[in-house]
Amino acid sequence: PAPRVSVEANEETGYVPLPGVDYEPGTRPRVVVETSRGALVFELFTDDAPVHVYNFLELVKRHFYDGTTFHRVVPDFVVQGGDPRGDGNGGSAWRGGSLRAEFTPRKFVRGSLGMPRNDDPDSGGSQIFVCHRETPHLDGRYTLFGQLVDGFDVLDRIEVGDLIVSARPADGAASR
């Protein structure tokens, strides 16, 4: 079996699930984000960004996103939410602090789920963004950790101030 590797994660054990160790290779959990405009269903990329996926699932499990807003909508670019302050300047990872970037060769396309950050690539936290279209200038510069698989019509209707009513694992299982 593969060795267990600590990557500053689980606050009790210091461990994050890794693909091929804790996740079956190719496992892609799904999360339903219920918005005031309808449901968005995301498939998460555990093989590409295991720490970001774990972070997102932990925050979902804790109902962190419930009642937060989409504080930023740039037409034909992205919608952004998950900031408890609602102004784009708040939020942190499930353990506090920020996340190290997990850049991959995967391309940002319509429906890509990404992690906003500031000038420091290792500054992701709780906020999320979803692309309206292909955005090659984000490729390799932001962590891409999921893909919208249902709810593209909802994505197109989201406006600034719309709510994330709730977020839950699609299969009923939170993090492992």
Side-chain angles (χ1 to χ4, degrees):
R4 292 187 161 243
V5 179
S6 176
V7 263
E8 296 179 70
N10 181 293
E11 47 208 340
E12 291 86 35
T13 65
Y15 182 72
V16 167
L18 296 173
V21 177
D22 294 292
Y23 294 120
E24 289 297 315
T27 297
R28 292 189 174 173
R30 291 187 175 199
V31 169
V32 178
V33 176
E34 219 32 81
T35 77
S36 50
R37 302 277 177 175
L40 301 168
V41 180
F42 295 97
E43 186 173 81
L44 305 179
F45 303 141
T46 57
D47 290 344
D48 296 340
V51 176
H52 281 72
V53 168
Y54 183 84
N55 177 67
F56 187 59
L57 289 172
E58 276 298 308
L59 292 172
V60 165
K61 183 171 88 173
R62 296 175 187 186
H63 304 280
F64 175 88
Y65 294 101
D66 300 5
T68 62
T69 63
F70 288 98
H71 63 273
R72 180 175 182 232
V73 175
V74 180
D76 201 34
F77 180 43
V78 297
V79 301
Q80 186 171 325
D83 174 5
R85 290 175 37 161
D87 63 5
N89 295 306
S92 64
W94 87 100
R95 67 180 192 281
S98 56
L99 300 174
R100 288 190 302 243
E102 293 179 288
F103 300 147
T104 72
R106 194 179 287 273
K107 305 292 185 202
F108 279 90
V109 297
R110 179 165 164 75
S112 289
L113 177 63
M115 178 65 64
R117 62 175 179 80
N118 60 32
D119 290 337
D120 178 358
D122 298 330
S123 60
S126 64
Q127 293 186 42
I128 57 173
F129 68 82
V130 186
C131 295
H132 278 293
R133 62 174 174 81
E134 217 173 277
T135 51
H137 64 284
L138 302 180
D139 296 346
R141 297 181 58 225
Y142 289 80
T143 298
L144 193 166
F145 66 99
Q147 178 63 42
L148 186 66
V149 293
D150 193 22
F152 286 92
D153 58 324
V154 174
L155 172 64
D156 294 338
R157 291 194 306 267
I158 292 174
E159 296 179 6
V160 170
D162 284 346
L163 283 178
I164 296 174
V165 177
S166 68
R168 67 184 187 286
D171 60 4
S175 61
R176 298 171 189 229

